[in-house]
Amino acid sequence: MSGAQNLSVLRDAVVAALRAKIPGVRSIEPHGGAFDEAELKKFATSAPAIRVALLGFDQVARHSTGQLRLPVHLAAVVITRDAVADGEKIGRDTQALMIANAVAL
């Protein structure tokens, strides 16, 4: 398996774990990298949503075993919109904080 395939497997595993642990989020999907404003507007139609992207790497190091250590930077971008639940308004900022907390856990 190539390095790119391993990284894809890693990102997909993160997506699968988030889907299993945060069932209230409508859409949790992988994303190809950096986000632009047009994409965020498009994702807003499926809010609440999370997009998981691999954004970069730190310095590669080689262990004495010969294996490489490649720290990866992943981002979980949370997209929300104002909503009403049980007759109460829930602001997008509150939703984003609740989802971000679930991602962090």
Side-chain angles (χ1 to χ4, degrees):
M1 186 178 285
S2 75
Q5 289 171 321
N6 285 331
L7 292 172
S8 177
V9 168
L10 170 65
R11 185 191 60 194
D12 291 347
V14 169
V15 168
L18 292 175
R19 284 179 182 157
K21 296 195 182 279
I22 313 174
V25 173
R26 182 177 300 161
S27 174
I28 303 175
E29 301 294 334
H31 188 271
F35 297 82
D36 62 26
E37 188 176 342
E39 287 177 304
L40 292 175
K41 286 180 181 179
K42 182 178 108 180
F43 297 147
T45 63
S46 62
I50 301 172
R51 294 295 181 265
V52 178
L54 188 137
L55 297 182
F57 311 95
D58 280 342
Q59 187 173 359
V60 176
R62 186 173 295 278
H63 287 277
S64 59
T65 62
Q67 293 179 318
L68 293 178
R69 178 177 168 264
L70 177 62
V72 204
H73 295 273
L74 292 167
V77 176
V78 176
I79 302 103
T80 62
R81 61 178 170 212
D82 293 334
V84 176
D86 298 327
E88 274 190 55
K89 180 182 174 187
I90 302 173
R92 67 186 128 209
D93 60 328
T94 301
Q95 286 186 64
L97 290 171
M98 292 168 41
I99 294 170
N101 186 63
V103 169
L105 292 174

